[in-house]
Each structure stands twice: as C-alpha cells, then as structure tokens.
C-alpha cells in the first residue's frame, strides 16, 4: 500500500519534465481559463478581420454595456458553482427586481433611494432562504432554486402581467449617464457597477479566508467539514450573495431597459451558467476563477455582436453557438480532469475521488455529502 | 391493530402492502383526491361527464386530456431520474419535435376556406421523422452522459440552451401553423368517446409497466440508480441502461411535442414546451420518485402530472388569476421536497417510534 502511494508521489516528477520540458508549471485546472481567453481573442480577432468597424474600443466596451447585468448575475453564479451548487433562480429574481422597482417607483411613487436598498434586501433574502433550505434540509440546490425560480416569476405576474415603463427622472437620468473614456468612447453606470462587483468578487474569492473555504467546499464538502471549516455559514452566504447579485443585476437591467416586466431576463440563468462554464469554472465545483466568468460573458457578448455584424444570421444562432461552446468546454474539462490521472499526480487522485461515478451530478453529490 | 389479530402471513402481506402504499402512491393519491374534492366543493358539476356527439365531455376528461403530454414526458423522465440522472432538455425536445412535424406536414389553407387534406409529406412519415429526431436527441444526451461521463444536468443543459435555437432554426423563427386536418386527430381526436391522447398515454404506460415490472429491466434501472459501480460489478450493463433511459426520455418528449403541436395546431420554436422540464420534474417528484435515483414509480409520475394539471385547472376555475399558478407550484415544490428530505423523514419516523413506545 505504502509503496504504491510513494511511487505515485515520485512518479510525477519523473514523468512530468519529459512531457513538458522547460515550461512554466501550469495547473491543468487553469487551462480552461487560458483556452477561454484565447478563444475570446480569436473570436474578437476574427470579427475584426471579417467586418469593418468591428475592431474598435467602443465595440469592445459595448460588450460590457450590453452585458453588464449578465456579468453581475454570473459573478454570483460563479460563487455558487465553485461551491458545488447551482442557482436556477437568477433570471427570475432579476425579473422580479425590475418589476418591484417599476411598481413601487411608478405606481406607488416611492423614492428610488428607498426602493433600491429594499430590492437588494429582497434579493439577498430570497438567496438566504435558498441557502438555509439547501443547508438544513440537505436538499439538492437545483430543486430548491427551481422552486425559487417559479416563485419569483409568479410574484412578477402577481404584481402585473404587463410591462411597466419607468419614467422616474432618477432612472432616466442614471441610464443616460455616460462616463467618457479616451478615443471618444464611453461606458454606462452599469459597467461601473458590474466591474465593482467583479473586483469585489475577485477579492472575496481569491484573497480572503471565505474564498478558500468556498474552494474547499467545492472540492470536497466532507473534507471541508472535517477540516473544521464553517461549511454551513459559507454555503448560506454563497446563495445569499447570488440572490443579492441577481437583484443588483435587476437594477442594472432596469437602467438598461427602463421598464419592469415579468418576462425580462427569461432564460438568463442558463446564459449565466454558460458564461461561468465557458469561463473555465468546473461545474463539479472547487476550481475556477472569477475573472474567467468575465471572459465567459465577453465571449457571449462577442457571439452576439458577430451575429449582429453578420446581419444575415438570426438571433437563435447565439443559442446554438453557446450550446456548442458549452459542449466543447465540458468535454475539454473532462479531458483535462482525466489527463493528469495518467500521470499519477495526487491532484488527479483527488479529482477521481471527487467523482464517485460518472452519472452523478455535482449537485446531487453535494446533497449526499451534506446529508 | 387489526393486522395483529390476523394470521402472521396475512399480517405480513398487509403490512408490506401498507408499506408500499405509504411509501409511493399513498400521498400522490391523497393529494389528488384532496384537490378533486376541493374542486367539487366549488363546482357541483365537477365530476359530471356528459356525452355529446358520442364523445365524453367534462372537467375530468378535460384534465386528463390536457395532462397527456406532461404524463408522457414525466414517464420518460422517471426512468432517467431512476438512474440517478436528470433531463432538463425535455422542453426543448418538445419544441424541436413539434417544429419538425409542423415543417414537414406543411399543408396550406385553401382559398375557399377550410383545411385541405393534402400534406407536404405523408403523415406516418412525418410522425416517424419527428419521433426519430426526438429519440436521436435523447440518444445524444445519453451518449454524452453514459459514454463521455458528463454530468446529466450539464449534458442536458447544452441541449436546453441549443435546442430552442435549433427549433427556431427549423421553423425559421416563426410560428408555423398546421393546416393538415388528419394531424389534429393526435391531440384533439376522440376514440371510443375518449380523447385519443389518453390512448397514447395508456400505450406508453402499459409498454413501460410491462418492460419494467414484467422483466428484470426495472430492477436493473434501480440498481444503476442506486450504485452504478456496484451494478456494473453485478453484471448489469449500467452504461447501456443509462443511455437507453435518456433515449427513451427523448422519445417521450417527442410524442408530447406531437400532441402539443397537434392540439394547438401550430409549432412555436420559442415558446412550445417552455418550462416544461420543470413541470415534468415536479410531476415525477410529486409522484414519489426520489431525485436521488433508485426506486421509481411510473404510476406515481402519471398521478403527479394529473395533480399539476388539476392544480392549474383548479386555479383557473376558482377565479384566482392564473398568474398565481407559478407561486402555488413553487410552494408545492418547496413543501414536497422538504417533506422528502432525510432530515424531516428522520424526524417523522422518530416521532412515529415515540408514538409506538407510548
């Protein structure tokens, strides 16, 4: 037994230099992120060559302006997915936020200064409830957030089945603000908001104790528990944060669309999940980078921009291309997860033990581990 | 109590029977009965079934007819969930199947009004094509999951995202109206006084019941769901079973797509079967099949689908705005999944033991 383990430990350094000579050590788990970054470069480059006017700073910035709300909710989703869970409610919580904002501001005449903190609190509370139910009843995150998704959409329609246009001066003013940048370009308030969330999330995930706990839970919840990490607290925080992000995305969406509607952000949860996965975060949890999500969202935006520039292609191609990209990245992650196993590194051993059998989803596994 | 006074053999039989009912179909049946009696309280004619033109009409028939697509999809999904998987792409497959059928059947409105009999392609061919495409999509899911080892939720997420795009691609992004009259029979026709769709449901149910309860296949599926590694060591072809479960689930979604497109006489790539996967999962869970895989009940899933449809009909008939349906469904999902959780189960059993001790 012991000899076997030892040979496994020593096999890696003997084999690795031969395979990857003079290359800086690259964690195979960071490879998806590199691939994503490369893919974004290739796609944007291809667009620049194919279309006049594509290669400009403003087109690049528009990726941020048009997808700020997606970025905000995808950041929240990244945390959830790193922890090994999933949140299907983000799209409907975003829609609910636009609805509550529009209703309270337009129909009730409340002040935005009061309504905005209120909706943020509402989003966080919905997330908190998800987290508490998932943690304390050890239910599968996917079924709990599914219920949350139904609930939030339903509440939208309870407020109104029609779209509520927003004409409050605060919202029209804020949505008109453009922060000027060099070369006669500009960005909107949403972009500043989204980048703020992103930076905060990067700090939280990669430079704090909470972030390390998060990765530990995603890697193996049981191990995290045995290590004495605050698993329950962190998991609940993750869903609360995702709910908060969804609400913030809803505010950004309101600035973008200037209306509240129950059909807003339909299917955004899938876009967010796709962005996170394409960004290189493992859906099994435990690996990934928040910045990857940014690149994932940018790729999503680039696909849309390419289709728009092409002109003859219809919007549904976005869905098909995103689906294909999802497929490619999932297969890539599968291959990468297997490759180190042949080299016999300890990391691979951990990866294998994290996947007890092929047909078990991470969500279900988490549910079992938590039980 | 009464069981104790009987002979030991009979008591064991009745106990096992009771355990079976308690564990699986008891709660779905109670829920359905409660919902139906609630309806009766509001509408005295709820249970009345009238005969018009040799067809049966009534609220119950209506519920059965409307629940048909959901019942079929729920059955397919039950097998998938029994193998410890999930298929969230059924809504997209429903849309694709409808889109394929509507595009192939074609048919045009004649200038004199009314629908001509002529179809773009013969109807059996169209049905086979739609079902074939649906099953191929199911096989695609199955291949990704059983042969590439992808997690079910992600593999089917890919089809969920791309599938609607494909459906829109087939219909050209438009809602395609179907004018071919014989096609309407699938979703609107009556056979022997009953809606034709019910015969499809019965056929699927019967087929599955025979397959899973009269052969060892049901046992194999449960074995795979409980522990695929152990199942493989025991000689069960776990991969093949998983693969065919998804293929069959796709086929079921295809049948549902045919019924829905025939019922509404059109195919809408964007909205057909929207959120259908959620209703189907809810139906399976309501029916008493655990999402953790293993033991499953097809009849339970059918009951689950009926509960959802009855709930929807109830909300309409009581006069509550239909928007509430989603909120009620959410509450039901929360409640059912919390009741299914181990924590609550343990507490209930411990309370039961306490009661026995007293």
């Amino acid at each position: 037994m012991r000899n076997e383990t030892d040979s496994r430990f020593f096999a890696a350094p003997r084999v690795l230099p031969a395979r990857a000579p003079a290359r800086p050590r690259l964690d195979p788990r960071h490879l998806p992120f590199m691939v994503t970054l490369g893919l974004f470069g290739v796609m944007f480059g291809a667009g620049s060559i194919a279309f006049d006017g594509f290669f400009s700073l403003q087109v690049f910035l528009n990726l941020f302006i048009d997808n700020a709300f997606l970025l905000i909710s995808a950041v929240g989703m990244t945390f959830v997915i790193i922890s090994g869970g999933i949140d299907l409610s983000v799209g409907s919580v975003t829609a609910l936020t636009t609805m509550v904002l529009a209703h309270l501001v337009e129909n009730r005449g409340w002040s935005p200064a009061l309504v905005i903190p209120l909706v943020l609190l509402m989003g966080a509370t919905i997330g908190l409830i998800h987290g508490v139910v998932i943690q304390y009843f050890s239910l599968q995150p996917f079924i709990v957030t599914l219920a949350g998704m139904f609930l939030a959409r339903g509440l939208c329609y309870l407020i109104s089945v029609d779209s509520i246009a927003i004409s409050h001066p605060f919202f029209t003013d804020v949505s008109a603000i453009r922060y000027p940048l060099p070369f006669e370009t500009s960005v909107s308030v949403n972009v500043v908001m989204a980048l703020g969330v992103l930076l905060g999330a990067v700090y939280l995930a990669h430079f704090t104790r909470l972030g390390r706990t998060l990765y530990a839970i995603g890697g193996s919840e049981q191990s995290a528990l045995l290590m004495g990490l605050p698993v329950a607290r962190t998991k609940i925080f993750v869903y609360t944060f995702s709910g908060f992000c969804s609400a913030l995305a809803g505010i950004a969406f309101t600035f973008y669309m200037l209306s509240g509607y129950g059909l807003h952000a339909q299917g955004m949860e899938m876009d967010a999940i796709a962005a996170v996965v394409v960004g290189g975060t493992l859906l099994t949890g435990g690996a990934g980078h928040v910045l990857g999500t940014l690149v994932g969202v940018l790729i999503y935006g680039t696909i849309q921009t390419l289709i728009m520039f092409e002109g003859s292609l219809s919007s549904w191609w976005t869905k098909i291309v995103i689906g294909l990209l999802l497929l490619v990245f999932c297969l890539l992650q599968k291959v990468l997860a297997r490759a180190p196993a042949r080299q016999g590194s300890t990391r691979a051993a951990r990866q294998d033990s994290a996947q007890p059998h092929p047909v078990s989803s991470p969500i279900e596994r988490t549910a079992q581990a938590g039980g | 109590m009464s069981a104790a006074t009987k002979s030991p053999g009979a008591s064991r039989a009745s106990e096992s029977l009771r355990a079976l009912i308690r564990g699986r179909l008891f709660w779905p049946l109670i829920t359905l009965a409660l919902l139906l009696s609630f309806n009766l309280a509001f509408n005295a004619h709820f249970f009345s079934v009238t005969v018009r033109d040799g067809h049966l009409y009534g609220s119950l028939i209506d519920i059965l007819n409307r629940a048909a697509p959901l019942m079929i999809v729920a059955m397919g999904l039950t097998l998938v969930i029994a193998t410890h998987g999930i298929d969230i792409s059924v809504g997209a497959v429903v849309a694709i199947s409808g889109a394929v059928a509507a595009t192939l059947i074609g048919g045009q409105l004649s200038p004199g009004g009314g629908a001509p009999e002529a179809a773009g392609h013969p109807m059996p061919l169209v049905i086979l094509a739609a079902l074939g495409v649906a099953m191929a999509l199911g096989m695609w899911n199955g291949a990704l999951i059983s042969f590439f080892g992808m997690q079910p939720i992600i593999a089917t997420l890919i089809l969920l995202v791309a599938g609607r795009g494909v459906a829109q691609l087939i219909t050209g992004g438009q809602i395609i109206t179907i004018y071919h009259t014989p096609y309407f029979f699938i979703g609107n026709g009556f056979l022997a006084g009953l809606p034709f769709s019910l015969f499809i449901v019965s056929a699927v149910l019967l087929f599955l019941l025979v397959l899973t309860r009269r052969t060892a296949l049901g046992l194999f599926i449960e074995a795979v769901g409980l522990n695929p590694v152990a199942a493989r060591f025991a000689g069960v072809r776990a991969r093949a079973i998983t693969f065919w479960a998804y293929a069959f689930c796709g086929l079921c979604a295809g049948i549902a797509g045919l019924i829905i497109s025939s019922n509404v006489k059109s195919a809408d790539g964007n909205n057909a079967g929207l959120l259908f996967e959620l209703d189907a999962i809810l139906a399976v869970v309501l029916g008493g099949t655990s999402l953790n895989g293993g033991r499953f009940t097809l009849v339970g899933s059918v009951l689950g689908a009926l509960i959802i449809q009855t709930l929807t009909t109830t909300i309409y008939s009581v006069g509550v705005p239909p928007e509430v349906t989603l909120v009620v469904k959410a509450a039901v999902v929360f409640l059912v999944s919390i009741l299914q959780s181990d924590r609550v189960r343990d507490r209930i059993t411990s309370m039961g033991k306490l009661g026995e001790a007293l």
Side-chain angles (χ1 to χ4, degrees):
Chain A
M1 254 329 251
R2 194 165 174 185
N3 276 339
E4 245 180 75
T5 350
D6 281 350
S7 70
R8 275 178 120 198
F9 267 107
F10 293 121
R14 254 188 288 141
V15 178
L16 262 181
R19 286 211 173 178
R23 212 176 62 178
R25 262 192 67 195
L26 178 68
D27 189 333
R29 285 171 171 226
H30 288 159
L31 201 66
F33 174 68
M34 298 301 168
V35 173
T36 312
L37 205 61
L39 185 69
F40 172 66
V42 167
M43 285 175 80
F44 204 81
S48 310
I49 295 165
F51 305 111
D52 285 338
F54 192 96
F55 187 74
S56 74
L57 187 60
Q58 190 60 55
V59 167
F60 179 71
L61 290 175
N62 282 347
L63 294 181
F64 286 86
I65 295 174
D66 295 333
N67 295 296
F69 51 89
L70 182 61
L71 178 57
I72 296 173
S73 60
V75 163
M77 183 74 87
T78 313
F79 274 63
V80 177
I81 291 181
I82 289 176
S83 83
I86 204 151
D87 188 350
L88 294 176
S89 72
V90 296
S92 38
V93 171
T94 300
L96 181 63
T97 309
T98 69
M99 209 64 196
V100 171
L101 268 178
H103 180 69
L104 289 182
V105 170
E106 288 299 312
N107 299 352
R108 293 285 168 84
W110 289 26
S111 156
L114 184 69
V115 176
I116 287 179
L118 193 74
V119 291
L120 286 176
L121 189 70
M122 178 195 74
T125 312
I126 293 176
L128 180 72
I129 295 170
H130 285 158
V132 168
V133 172
I134 290 166
Q135 181 59 34
Y136 286 106
F137 293 101
S138 53
L139 291 177
Q140 298 169 7
F142 126 80
I143 197 89
V144 173
T145 54
L146 192 70
M149 174 186 183
F150 272 137
L151 186 74
R153 277 279 173 219
L155 289 176
C156 284
Y157 295 125
L158 272 187
I159 295 170
S160 167
V161 284
D162 300 315
S163 167
I164 305 174
I166 294 178
S167 54
H168 192 280
F170 173 76
F171 283 94
T172 49
D173 287 353
V174 170
S175 76
I177 294 175
R178 287 287 180 274
Y179 297 108
L181 287 174
F183 308 110
E184 292 176 18
T185 56
S186 59
V187 292
S188 63
V189 177
N190 285 348
V191 178
V192 179
M193 215 150 80
L195 290 181
V197 171
L198 184 76
L199 287 181
V202 168
Y203 173 73
L204 214 57
H206 304 292
F207 298 98
T208 63
R209 184 176 293 184
L210 183 129
R212 283 196 292 278
T213 312
L214 188 66
Y215 279 89
I217 293 175
S220 164
E221 187 168 334
Q222 219 119 42
S223 309
L225 268 171
L226 291 174
M227 272 190 274
L229 294 173
V231 170
R233 208 193 322 145
T234 312
K235 267 175 77 184
I236 292 172
F237 166 79
V238 159
Y239 289 95
T240 314
F241 182 67
S242 176
F244 174 82
C245 282
S246 307
L248 199 64
I251 293 171
F253 206 91
T254 318
F255 288 143
Y256 188 70
M257 300 289 275
L258 282 179
S259 69
Y261 190 24
L263 283 176
H264 272 338
Q266 186 107 52
M268 196 176 81
E269 51 279 336
M270 298 309 164
D271 292 340
I273 295 171
V276 172
V277 173
V278 171
T281 299
L282 267 182
L283 261 166
T284 35
H289 202 285
V290 177
L291 281 179
T293 300
L294 168 69
V295 187
V297 170
L298 288 180
I299 285 183
Y300 182 84
T302 311
I303 293 170
Q304 279 179 323
T305 314
L306 280 173
I307 285 165
M308 203 179 70
F309 265 81
E310 168 61 35
S312 65
L313 288 176
S314 306
S315 61
W316 52 77
W317 279 104
T318 315
K319 294 177 192 171
I320 297 176
V321 175
I322 284 285
L324 288 177
L325 270 184
L326 257 179
L327 174 70
V328 169
F329 272 83
C330 288
L331 289 178
L332 179 80
Q333 289 179 349
K334 266 260 91 80
V335 171
L336 287 176
R338 264 183 207 164
R342 283 188 217 109
Q343 297 172 5
S345 81
T346 48
R347 190 189 311 279
R350 200 177 76 103
Q351 186 83 24
D352 280 347
S353 69
Q355 289 168 345
H357 51 76
V359 285
S360 131
S361 94
I363 299 127
E364 291 152 358
R365 189 165 48 74
T366 317
Q368 285 168 344
Chain B
M1 279 285 172
S2 60
T5 58
K6 282 178 191 168
S7 68
S11 96
R12 203 181 302 139
S14 80
E15 244 172 45
S16 64
L17 191 72
R18 207 196 295 155
L20 192 79
I21 292 170
R22 276 274 159 85
R24 297 290 146 182
L25 296 181
F26 183 69
W27 287 111
L29 276 172
I30 289 289
T31 317
L32 191 60
L34 275 177
L35 268 174
L36 290 175
S37 46
F38 179 78
N39 269 297
L40 191 65
F42 263 88
N43 178 6
H45 301 294
F46 186 74
F47 281 108
S48 71
V49 174
T50 54
V51 181
R52 243 181 286 157
D53 309 332
H55 305 332
L56 293 174
Y57 280 95
S59 303
L60 287 181
I61 304 291
D62 194 46
I63 288 174
L64 282 170
N65 193 13
R66 279 170 197 272
L70 189 58
M71 287 196 270
I72 292 174
V73 172
M75 280 189 269
L77 197 63
T78 308
L79 296 185
V80 164
I81 288 179
T83 65
H84 198 185
I86 193 87
D87 186 347
I88 54 172
S89 69
V90 287
V93 177
V94 163
I96 292 175
S97 151
V100 169
T103 316
L104 287 183
I105 201 99
Q108 285 172 339
L109 204 63
S110 61
E117 302 290 305
H121 295 269
M123 200 161 102
L125 188 76
V126 170
I127 291 174
L128 273 182
L131 293 184
V133 168
M135 188 151 177
L137 291 170
M139 286 171 154
W140 158 262
N141 279 336
L144 283 182
I145 292 156
S146 55
F147 299 120
F148 287 94
M150 216 181 256
Q151 301 134 22
I153 195 169
I154 294 130
T156 52
L157 174 77
I158 292 168
L159 192 55
L160 168 72
V161 174
R164 285 213 177 271
V166 172
Q168 280 174 306
L169 190 70
I170 295 170
T171 61
Q174 286 169 334
I175 299 174
I176 293 191
T177 315
I178 301 169
Y179 294 110
H180 185 60
T181 331
Y183 186 74
F184 302 158
F185 186 75
I186 303 171
N188 294 318
F190 280 84
L191 193 70
L194 283 169
F196 180 65
S197 55
L198 283 187
F199 288 94
I200 305 176
V201 174
S202 315
V204 175
L205 179 63
L206 207 67
F207 172 72
L208 282 181
L209 279 181
V210 167
L211 209 63
T212 57
R213 294 290 173 240
R214 291 276 165 250
T215 70
L217 189 67
L219 206 63
F220 289 166
I221 291 174
E222 288 180 356
V224 171
L226 287 172
N227 190 337
V229 179
R232 204 176 66 230
F233 286 147
V236 178
R237 295 176 61 202
R239 288 190 169 185
I241 284 178
T242 311
F243 175 78
W244 286 109
Y246 283 92
F248 192 79
C249 186
L251 181 67
C252 284
I255 299 173
L258 285 181
I259 296 177
I260 290 174
S261 65
S262 155
N263 202 359
V264 300
K265 297 172 184 173
S266 64
D268 179 356
N270 206 23
N271 293 314
L274 202 62
L275 296 182
F276 207 72
E277 50 278 345
L278 309 183
D279 274 353
I281 295 168
L282 181 54
V284 175
V285 175
L286 275 176
T289 300
S290 164
L291 278 169
N292 287 324
R295 294 191 64 185
F296 64 97
T297 154
L298 292 161
V299 180
S301 300
V302 169
L303 285 176
L306 283 175
I307 290 171
I308 294 174
Q309 189 54 48
T310 313
L311 195 70
T312 314
T313 312
T314 310
I315 287 165
Y316 281 123
S317 63
V318 169
V320 180
E323 298 87 67
V324 185
T325 320
L326 279 175
V327 180
V328 174
K329 273 185 195 166
V332 172
V333 181
F334 263 127
L335 211 75
V336 168
S337 42
I338 285 178
L339 281 178
Q340 268 202 356
S341 75
D342 293 338
R343 187 174 280 247
V344 174
R345 284 249 160 121
D346 287 351
R347 187 149 299 170
I348 288 172
T349 45
S350 69
M351 270 165 69
K353 273 177 195 155
L354 201 71
E356 271 172 26
L358 288 171

